Every structure is written in C-alpha cells, then in structure tokens.
Amino acid sequence: MTPRTLFDSSLAALREGFSGAILTPEDEGYHEARAVFNGMIDRRPALIAQCASAEDVASAVRCARAEELEIAVRGGGHSVAGMASSEGGLVVDLRRMHEVTVDRGAGTARVGGGATMSHLDRATQPFGLATTGGRASTTGVGGFTLGGGSGWLERKFGLACDNLLAAEVVTADGSLVRASERENPDLFWALRGGGGNFGVATSLTLRLHELPAMSMALMFFRPEDGPQAVTAFRDLMASAPEEAGGGCLYLTGPPEDFVPPQFVGKPVCGVLITWAGTEEGLREVAAPLLALPHEAEVVAGIPYADLQCMLDDPAGRRNYWSAEYLGAFPDEAVTAFCATADAMPVPSGSQHILFPLGGAVARGPAELPVRWRSSPWVVHPFGIWDDPADDARARHWVHEARAGVRPWADDAVYLNFIGQEGHERVVAAYGEENYARLAGVKRRYDPDNMFRLNHNIEPSAA
C-alpha cells in the first residue's frame, strides 16, 4: 500500500462517524478555515478537522498519530505565534465547540474548548456572574486558561487557572480523561499554567464570582505628559483596593467621539482604571488621576462583557508581541517605559502597555506553575500593524521596549503574552523545578511530544 493510499484510507476512516467537518486543500471553505489571527502566518495544513465533539477530537488525534502528521490545536482565539496551524499537518479546530453552560447554584460554567471570552462573558452576565478573562472578547478561553490567564478581574478573583475546577482532555493516544483535584491530579496541576502541552482540552469547568456592577475610567494625556500620568497610576495602584485594575497604554488616538480631533491618528498616553463595582466607587478611587490635566475622558458604569470588547483587534493584521515582568517599577523605570513609546509605529493598532498585578494574583496558589504571579508589574509591547514593509520596524520597537525596562525585570514571563522566544524563556516562565515536574507529566501523557506546537515542554527521560 502506497503512502498516498494509506492516507486516503485513514481519511475515509476519519470521515466515518465524524460529526463535524473535515477539510482538505481541495475543499470549499478550506482557505477561509486555515486563516489565523496573525496575518504574518500563512500555513497550509493537509487536513483541518472542524470538531463538534470530544469524540471528533479523539478521532482526529488518532488519525494524526497513524499518519505521523504534525498536530496543531486551534481553540477560539489568537495564538499570536501561529501555533494554531501547521504546514502539511493536521489542525484540530475546536471553534464549533463553543457552548457555555452556567450552573447558577454551583457558581460554575462549563465551557467548550473552542469558546471565546465573548461566549463566556455573554453567558454569565445575565446571572451577575463573571470570572477572570482575557482583555479582549476574541481571546480563546482554553488557551488563555491553560496558560495561566491574566485579565482585568485578576486582582479581585485571581488568575483564570486559579479558577479552573476541572478539564476534559483528549491525550496523545486519543483517550478522553478528566482532570480535577481528585481525578488525575498530576495532570490537573500541569494544566493550570502549563499550556496545551498535555492534550486537547475539550471542555473546562470554571469557578464564577458575583459581579453585580462594573465600571471604567479612561483618560487620554498628551504623550509629553505621559510620565506624570504613569507615575500617578503607579502610586494609586500601590494602595488601591483589589477591585481596581487597569493599565497605562500608549496608542494611536482612536476616532471616537470623546477624543478631540487633533489627537485622532496621533500618539496618546491612555490610563484605564477598571473597577469591580459602581461608578461612584470608581470616581472616589480614581480621583487623583482625574484631577490631572488631561485631554479626554470617559467615566461610566459598563457591563463587563462590553468592557471586554474595548481593546479588540480584528483578525488578519500583522502581530508581534512580547513582555517583561518587573520586580519593581521605580521612577527610572517609568522614564524608560515612556521613552520607548516614541518608536512605536503610529498610526497602527500597536499598544505599549503597563499592567499592575498583586492582590489575588500574588495570593494565589503558590504551588501552581505560574512563576510570574509574584511580579507586581508587567510591560507588554503589543505590536499590531498592516503593512509588511513595517515588519522590521515593528519588531525592532518591541525588542527595544523590552530592553528599556529589563534592568527591573525578574525573568519570569506569562507565555500567552509572547511569541516563540526560545527554550530558555519557557523554562523561565515556570522556573527550573516546576519545569522538571511538568516534563514528568508530559512524559506520562505525551511521551512522543505530539503536542509540540506550543511553548513546548519536552517530555523528560524515563
């Protein structure tokens, strides 16, 4: 039997009983299905398995193993490094599996592996419930949570992985296993920060929290006034209640009604304060920043699901991201952070961001493989642009933005914020002890490293 005949035979077997759709390069819809969020990535998989059930996922994994095809797992969201696709491999596409079931009495949500934050937040909002999600509605819940999960509500409710109660996972041999504190606890530990290294998460059960009100204050400052605004935000967050979150960001002035025309399309410094409560409480907390001279502001109560859409970016643009987690953010670091904003591509979708951590993040389970939770600040240069001619310029700016604050960095990093930056960066994210333990779990559940299109943890030797 020739390899081509063998492949045809396996494909026929995969199609039989498959409840989703199987796409090859000859099928209608293939090119639309293979497009990923980052427009810099252009790969042509041999097969795209648009799964509709955990059984579909298991069948796709077994097919890939039989044919020795590289596996890429596509959840609902970004995968900025392009790891949700494979050149000549098989893509396990979960986007049809986006259902969310809320159990109001238990305070939980069961979330399909292909759901985005919009699916989750719109389902929980009618109940006055929420959990920590990504800072964009288009973020995929699965990859976000497995990687740790940092978002606006983290200082109050902890990281997404802190709120993971159980997961159903298809492992490398095509088995469906459940992981929780009582079931496969070694796998459950690894899933809370170790990413997609151990299998395909077909569903997640997340803890929900009461969130009866949400508010936000967004202020825009002239770039030259940025250092004063960033310093004021830093000082405010040093003693702010855990309900407060947000960040500082340099960006291109958006064409919104509240933005003066002279700042549209020009660089501005924004300060966003999020507040898990009413507008009245927010105004009291944000008073020191609201008192500073600024060019535009919006202060309002806002549904959490709508807040999550504020920083959405359309798919198909060119993306290059990175981050540095800081052990301190003194005045010299403020100066360095603000200075590197000057080289950011403008106009573009790029943002130069500073986020505060602390609160429930720092208090979270220390035993989880999330080394960066103890860092009080993160700088996240977030390059987004359209013209391929700007590729070198945008990448250079991201590197320079990291370098500017590196004197205060503690080497830990949240891998969801970066692309492929080498094995040492992966080890730094977890720490050597946690990495060694993760490698042991990897050996048990994926000894052949089939799930390697990720921030890869290599299985340890037996």
Side-chain angles (χ1 to χ4, degrees):
M1 183 179 291
T2 66
R4 182 66 243 177
T5 303
L6 177 62
F7 183 81
D8 288 344
S9 174
S10 295
L11 180 56
L14 177 60
R15 290 187 188 280
E16 186 175 350
F18 198 87
S19 58
I22 305 294
L23 299 178
T24 69
E26 294 76 32
D27 291 324
E28 183 178 354
Y30 167 84
H31 289 289
E32 180 181 358
R34 75 177 180 87
V36 294
F37 175 79
N38 187 349
M40 298 178 74
I41 309 300
D42 183 21
R43 294 179 184 150
R44 290 168 171 77
L47 287 177
I48 300 174
Q50 296 182 317
C51 301
S53 67
E55 291 74 19
D56 283 354
V57 174
S59 296
V61 169
R62 287 193 290 266
C63 176
R65 175 178 284 280
E67 291 295 335
E68 298 183 350
L69 292 172
E70 182 177 65
I71 294 178
V73 180
R74 182 167 189 177
H78 299 150
S79 184
V80 68
M83 296 179 287
S85 189
S86 165
E87 187 66 36
L90 186 151
V91 174
V92 178
D93 187 338
L94 303 177
R95 286 177 291 172
R96 294 187 176 202
M97 300 170 61
H98 57 72
E99 65 284 347
V100 177
T101 303
V102 176
D103 186 331
R104 179 69 178 87
T108 62
R110 186 175 186 273
V111 185
T116 65
M117 286 302 154
S118 182
H119 293 124
L120 174 58
D121 297 335
R122 297 296 177 188
T124 61
Q125 188 163 282
F127 299 95
L129 299 172
T131 195
T132 300
R135 296 176 177 91
S137 70
T138 51
T139 302
V141 178
F144 169 79
T145 302
L146 300 183
S150 171
W152 301 130
L153 295 176
E154 64 192 355
R155 284 173 40 84
K156 178 65 174 176
F157 299 140
L159 300 173
C161 66
D162 300 340
N163 291 287
L164 180 63
L165 300 175
E168 294 180 347
V169 179
V170 172
T171 57
D173 63 358
S175 300
L176 180 62
V177 302
R178 180 177 170 85
S180 68
E181 290 283 4
R182 295 185 177 183
E183 303 163 282
N184 301 298
D186 59 336
L187 177 59
F188 185 56
W189 172 83
L191 291 173
R192 289 177 290 166
N197 275 280
F198 312 98
V200 185
T202 58
S203 75
L204 306 173
T205 300
L206 298 170
R207 180 187 297 110
L208 302 178
H209 304 268
E210 299 283 346
L211 187 68
M214 193 76 197
S215 307
M216 53 79 68
L218 176 62
M219 291 151 276
F220 283 162
F221 298 81
R222 296 177 183 271
E224 57 267 31
D225 296 328
Q228 181 184 17
V230 173
T231 299
F233 179 79
R234 178 200 65 186
D235 295 346
L236 182 150
M237 292 306 301
S239 59
E242 293 179 358
E243 287 80 2
C248 299
L249 61 162
Y250 285 85
L251 72 164
T252 298
E256 302 289 348
D257 291 343
F258 71 94
V259 179
Q262 64 269 29
F263 295 107
V264 174
K266 305 295 183 182
V268 295
C269 176
V271 175
L272 173 66
I273 301 175
T274 60
W275 178 253
T278 64
E279 180 184 341
E280 181 181 10
L282 168 64
R283 286 187 176 276
E284 181 178 346
V285 169
L289 272 157
L290 290 168
L292 293 178
H294 52 279
E295 306 303 321
E297 72 171 54
V298 174
V299 184
I302 184 172
Y304 175 63
D306 292 348
L307 173 67
Q308 289 284 71
C309 300
M310 281 183 53
L311 297 180
D312 282 357
D313 284 293
R317 305 180 81 177
R318 305 176 81 78
N319 284 255
Y320 188 74
W321 310 349
S322 195
E324 289 287 352
Y325 278 69
L326 310 183
F329 194 59
D331 291 346
E332 296 83 359
V334 171
T335 300
F337 169 75
C338 295
T340 53
D342 292 343
M344 186 178 74
V346 175
S348 76
S350 300
Q351 299 167 12
H352 187 34
I353 311 175
L354 171 76
F355 292 130
L357 277 72
V361 177
R363 291 199 319 276
E367 71 274 12
L368 296 187
V370 187
R371 180 176 169 232
W372 46 272
R373 74 160 69 243
S374 61
S375 304
W377 296 96
V378 54
V379 170
H380 183 28
F382 189 85
I384 304 178
W385 66 101
D386 296 306
D387 189 348
D390 287 333
D391 286 1
R393 173 189 173 200
R395 286 174 177 268
H396 179 74
W397 166 67
V398 170
H399 296 157
E400 289 299 302
R402 278 187 59 197
V405 297
R406 196 168 295 137
W408 301 277
D410 57 17
D411 294 330
V413 65
Y414 172 41
L415 296 175
N416 284 0
F417 272 178
I418 71 173
Q420 293 285 42
E421 297 183 3
H423 179 70
E424 290 184 1
R425 194 86 151 126
V426 175
V427 175
Y430 302 120
E432 292 186 2
E433 183 176 343
N434 278 333
Y435 183 87
R437 183 178 172 188
L438 289 165
V441 178
K442 177 78 169 181
R443 183 183 68 244
R444 177 177 177 185
Y445 291 94
D446 184 16
D448 300 320
N449 203 12
M450 289 185 63
F451 300 111
R452 59 183 178 270
L453 288 183
N454 44 44
H455 291 103
N456 195 235
I457 296 166
E458 298 177 1
S460 61

